[in-house]
Amino acid sequence: MSTLLHKKIKVAAVDFIPKWGSFNENLTNLVDAVSEVAKQNVDYAVFPETILSGYLFTDSNEMAPYFDTIPGKTTEALLPLVKKHNMYISVGIAERDIENNVPYNSAVLLGPEGIVGVYRKNGLNSQDQKVFAPGNTGIPVFDTALGKIGLLICYDDTYWQYARLAMLQGAQIIGWHSVSDRIMPGSSKAELIGDHSTVSHVQHMSALNGVFTICATRTGIETNPLTKKQLYYNGGSSIWNPMGQKIAQAPIVGPEELPYGLHGVYTAIIQLEEAAVRQQQILKKRKTDLYNPLLSFHRSPTDANATTTTCTTSLKAVQWLTNESKLAGVKVAKNEILVLPELSALPHTNTINAILNAAESQNGPFEQQLCAIAKAGAGYVVGSYPEKDADKVYHTVVLAGPDGSVLARYRATHLNERDLGWATPGNEVSVTSTPIGRIALAVAYELEITELGGMYAALRADVLAAPAGLPHPLKVQIDANLYSIKNPPTNKADYYPYAAATLNQMWVICGGRREGAFTSAAIYGPEPVVLTETLLAAENEDAVQLTSTIPAPYSWLNQERLITGQVAALFPPIVKK
């Protein structure tokens, strides 16, 4: 394994355009495409979803002539090629199971040794549910001569759990197969509510799990000739390193008719050692005792925790410079949720002595000041401070309410490198029901560990108030052309709170610091591609503010649908000690 970690591997995300309902023609084109990819000396190539059939079908009966089995015609045609070229490929297939005749949306991994393994899609969207049964393979990870490879398909990336399960089973590479579709321009309002883009979510699979992710999707307009319905596929196949950074990407394109077959090959050279190092960092920070048993529960279709009424309120994230602490001048409006930067009574510091010298007990000066601000404005104020309790010090986040009392405290559970030098980790999460929704607490840096946000979604938090420190180096790297909103957050917004908002379908509010051209003071919405724009505090502004609804507005997804669509029976490995 040590030799394998240092080996350089060439991987490819392939844009392949199938012709709707033309299995034999697509298979011929696929054979030609694999031969072309092999000419580039690729070790592992990922092809899109439903590559032999097309995707836009009304039901499984309409799709019936275009299903294949595994093994079947596709594997029979491709196996001689991958053996000849000593390469691995994974291909999305509309599969009909040999034994039970059930249709699945599948991906098959092929290598020189034969059929390595099969994955059947778990995250089924509304279109999938017309045609396919839920997957029954779990989240397998396959040992190969290149390393350990997991497979996922398209809408699977709506759920943080599937990539996490692959990582926990040792995956170093994830092959993601998609036909990331968009609603055609000029569609009705009713149709546009379903507009989304799965390829715009893929960064989290690498950023949160320390894996290389190879994301293959297609381009071009697809028309069902029977129903005349159309979708278009905007491209953007991409490759991501274990730090969550994009290392290759295909262009983003608009709706256009394109020739069938191979449309593009996007390659990168990777070394598995990067995944090994990053995964060890992530695994050391996980707190499985905290996640068990909550993250293995399935509470749908009914959930007594969920907010049942909608209200309008103001969300506000305070911005200070690194050397500032302007707590005395803070004001909150009635029913507003205002979030301060972390260690709110101090200028930003990494000096442990300075932090320890500022430590105080509960109900001390800091909490009293927060409560006074909240009461004066009849709003909600969130900040954090070093809390001294006997011989221990915690990084504690406090929620003060309109009546001037402390409504909740949360002691940071997943400490970063600085806080490990002085703080004791807490052992509980915090969600508080208020007249303006359910408010959860965290420190922004903790959102690097995806289980924390996942717990808050399971507890049906509407807002996560997360004080932040300096801007984080990892930014949103989703291509700006994938967004329908006016101001895409690409290369501007901190990634981890952005991911927590969209993966858990909640507002995330981060009071934070400005350093140079970047800020960590931001408001993140749950559908940042088409609906809830990420708002960053502008230079020379004391805060960024938004008046919106709680629970958050939604288009194609909300928290209830997210939780209903999870396959919680697969989740016990996440909470395993």
Side-chain angles (χ1 to χ4, degrees), residues 508-539:
V508 176
I509 311 172
C510 297
R513 306 276 179 175
R514 173 166 286 276
E515 186 177 45
F518 297 101
T519 184
S520 58
I523 299 172
Y524 302 88
E527 214 314 282
V529 174
V530 301
L531 189 63
T532 50
E533 183 176 342
T534 299
L535 298 177
L536 304 175
E539 193 172 2

Side-chain angles (χ1 to χ4, degrees), residues 51-336:
I51 200 169
L52 280 308
S53 57
Y55 183 69
L56 186 56
F57 288 83
T58 303
D59 55 38
S60 57
N61 290 328
E62 186 177 272
M63 200 178 198
Y66 317 113
F67 284 107
D68 195 9
T69 58
I70 302 174
K73 295 179 182 177
T74 305
T75 57
E76 182 181 2
L78 296 178
L79 282 172
L81 279 175
V82 295
K83 185 174 183 179
K84 174 184 176 182
H85 297 289
N86 193 35
M87 66 186 297
Y88 289 83
I89 64 170
S90 53
V91 176
I93 291 178
E95 178 201 4
R96 189 177 294 282
D97 183 80
I98 294 172
E99 295 182 359
N100 59 27
N101 210 36
V102 172
Y104 296 102
N105 189 338
S106 300
V108 59
L109 177 62
L110 308 177
E113 64 270 47
I115 298 174
V116 179
V118 177
Y119 165 70
R120 291 169 172 168
K121 186 176 182 179
N122 287 292
L124 301 186
N125 63 25
S126 57
Q127 174 61 29
D128 290 316
Q129 291 168 17
K130 296 176 183 179
V131 182
F132 302 110
N136 61 0
T137 57
I139 308 292
V141 171
F142 306 106
D143 277 309
T144 76
L146 301 179
K148 294 186 176 183
I149 299 175
L151 307 178
L152 293 175
I153 301 173
C154 203
Y155 197 75
D156 281 333
D157 76 350
T158 301
Y159 307 95
W160 63 267
Q161 292 94 336
Y162 301 143
R164 178 60 110 213
L165 286 165
M167 183 268 253
L168 291 175
Q169 294 177 84
Q172 299 155 315
I173 301 170
I174 289 178
W176 181 81
H177 315 72
S178 175
V179 286
S180 183
D181 59 279
R182 301 300 297 266
I183 302 299
M184 291 289 289
S187 298
S188 68
K189 287 186 177 180
E191 291 173 314
L192 287 172
I193 199 170
D195 195 23
H196 68 283
S197 170
T198 47
V199 76
S200 68
H201 292 277
V202 296
Q203 185 176 358
H204 80 83
M205 292 188 285
S206 286
L208 298 174
N209 297 290
V211 296
F212 288 97
T213 309
I214 306 158
C215 306
T217 190
R218 60 162 289 189
T219 46
I221 293 173
E222 182 173 53
T223 303
N224 181 321
L226 304 179
T227 64
K228 308 303 180 186
K229 289 188 175 181
Q230 291 184 312
L231 291 173
Y232 82 91
Y233 304 95
N234 49 212
S237 295
S238 52
I239 302 172
W240 301 78
N241 72 16
M243 298 302 294
Q245 298 163 331
K246 186 166 55 181
I247 53 178
Q249 188 196 294
I252 307 300
V253 299
E256 55 182 312
E257 298 285 352
L258 294 170
Y260 305 118
L262 182 64
H263 190 69
V265 183
Y266 305 92
T267 65
I269 304 296
I270 67 173
Q271 284 185 275
L272 299 185
E273 183 181 21
E274 293 182 45
V277 170
R278 181 60 185 142
Q279 288 179 6
Q280 283 304 308
Q281 294 170 345
I282 294 169
L283 291 169
K284 284 173 62 177
K285 292 182 180 180
R286 294 179 75 244
K287 305 288 184 183
T288 52
D289 285 347
L290 186 67
Y291 319 143
N292 189 13
L294 177 61
L295 287 181
S296 57
F297 286 164
H298 187 70
R299 290 174 166 165
S300 296
T302 58
D303 188 345
N305 288 318
T307 300
T308 56
T309 58
T310 299
C311 69
T312 300
T313 191
S314 172
L315 316 177
K316 190 172 184 179
V318 171
Q319 175 178 246
W320 293 336
L321 299 176
T322 58
N323 62 346
E324 290 180 330
S325 175
K326 300 189 290 186
L327 192 57
V330 171
K331 293 182 180 180
V332 65
K334 185 176 181 179
N335 285 334
E336 182 174 71

Side-chain angles (χ1 to χ4, degrees), residues 409-430:
R409 297 180 181 93
Y410 163 79
R411 291 167 168 172
T413 54
H414 300 77
L415 302 180
N416 68 1
E417 288 72 14
R418 180 202 64 190
D419 284 8
L420 279 169
W422 61 269
T424 298
N427 56 13
E428 293 182 348
V429 293
S430 172

